Amino acid sequence: GDSVTQMEGPVTLSEEAFLTINCTYTATGYPSLFWYVQYPGEGLQLLLKATKADDKGSNKGFEATYRKETTSFHLEKGSVQVSDSAVYFCALSHTNAGKSTFGDGTTLTVKP
Amino acid sequence: EAGVTQSPTHLIKTRGQQATLRCSPISGHTSVYWYQQALGLGLQFLLWYDEGEERNRGNFPPRFSGRQFPNYSSELNVNALELEDSALYLCASRPRTGQGANGYTFGSGTRLTVV
């Protein structure tokens, strides 16, 4: 079955540091890949997505590239802010599967 | 545009009781998904409803059930509550067209506490 593996947290960075959160997946075919963010006390919000190999998703300074050869979708941001502190989830979904498979989440804390 | 709305926000029940959670999807979204987010266990897929029918369910016992109404809103019922059912229950919706390529829009969740 499908699975998503994220780097374990928590991750603690200083403001303006570079962020990488690793995500790799196991799946048949060509799933769509997603990053979601969950702020304290809230539901998940879609951050970015990529639907085919070599696509780059981007939003709010975050980027991730769909790498079919390494089955990866690592999340990056060049300069994090305190407001980026949240839990980040990597996920995949097949076109007609009806459900997504999520990683366990990575908690990011950014200190001023 | 209103987002996905869930009610109640918090729910406290006694072991053995039943809980009913409600979800209204974004207007135009026919698919509704339920996930359980227990502490330290990530998101576990519970149920998928589309066009009023249950399309898929995750690895949960039958005491987790639900339905989708003609207006596409949905209800999750948990019978014979156990302490380990305590979790955040998240509802999500997405457009049916191009389904898997669309991300979910999540509600803020219902925090169920079983005592």
Side-chain angles (χ1 to χ4, degrees), chain A residues 36 38 43-44 49 94-95 98 100, chain B residues 33 35 37 100-101 104 106-107:
Chain A
Y36 291 86
Q38 185 177 33
L44 280 70
K49 71 174 185 179
H94 294 281
T95 301
S100 291
Chain B
Y33 303 79
Y35 283 83
Q37 188 178 23
Y104 290 138
F106 280 91

Side-chain angles (χ1 to χ4, degrees), chain B residues 30-50:
Chain B
T30 62
S31 285
V32 171
Y33 303 79
W34 288 94
Y35 283 83
Q36 182 194 66
Q37 188 178 23
L39 199 60
L41 292 180
L43 272 77
Q44 305 298 318
F45 169 70
L46 266 166
L47 290 159
W48 168 35
Y49 291 97
D50 184 62

Side-chain angles (χ1 to χ4, degrees), chain A residues 32 34 36 38 41-46 49 51 89 93-104, chain B residues 33 35 37 41-45 48 56 88 90 94 98-109:
Chain A
S32 294
F34 306 86
Y36 291 86
Q38 185 177 33
E42 298 182 12
L44 280 70
Q45 300 175 24
L46 178 63
K49 71 174 185 179
T51 58
F89 291 89
S93 183
H94 294 281
T95 301
N96 296 314
K99 69 174 180 114
S100 291
T101 300
F102 287 82
D104 289 339
Chain B
Y33 303 79
Y35 283 83
Q37 188 178 23
L41 292 180
L43 272 77
Q44 305 298 318
F45 169 70
W48 168 35
N56 197 6
L88 181 67
L90 292 167
R94 63 182 173 188
Q99 197 142 40
N102 296 313
Y104 290 138
T105 301
F106 280 91
S108 297

Side-chain angles (χ1 to χ4, degrees), chain A residues 82-95:
Chain A
V82 172
S83 56
D84 294 327
S85 298
V87 182
Y88 292 82
F89 291 89
C90 185
L92 68 83
S93 183
H94 294 281
T95 301

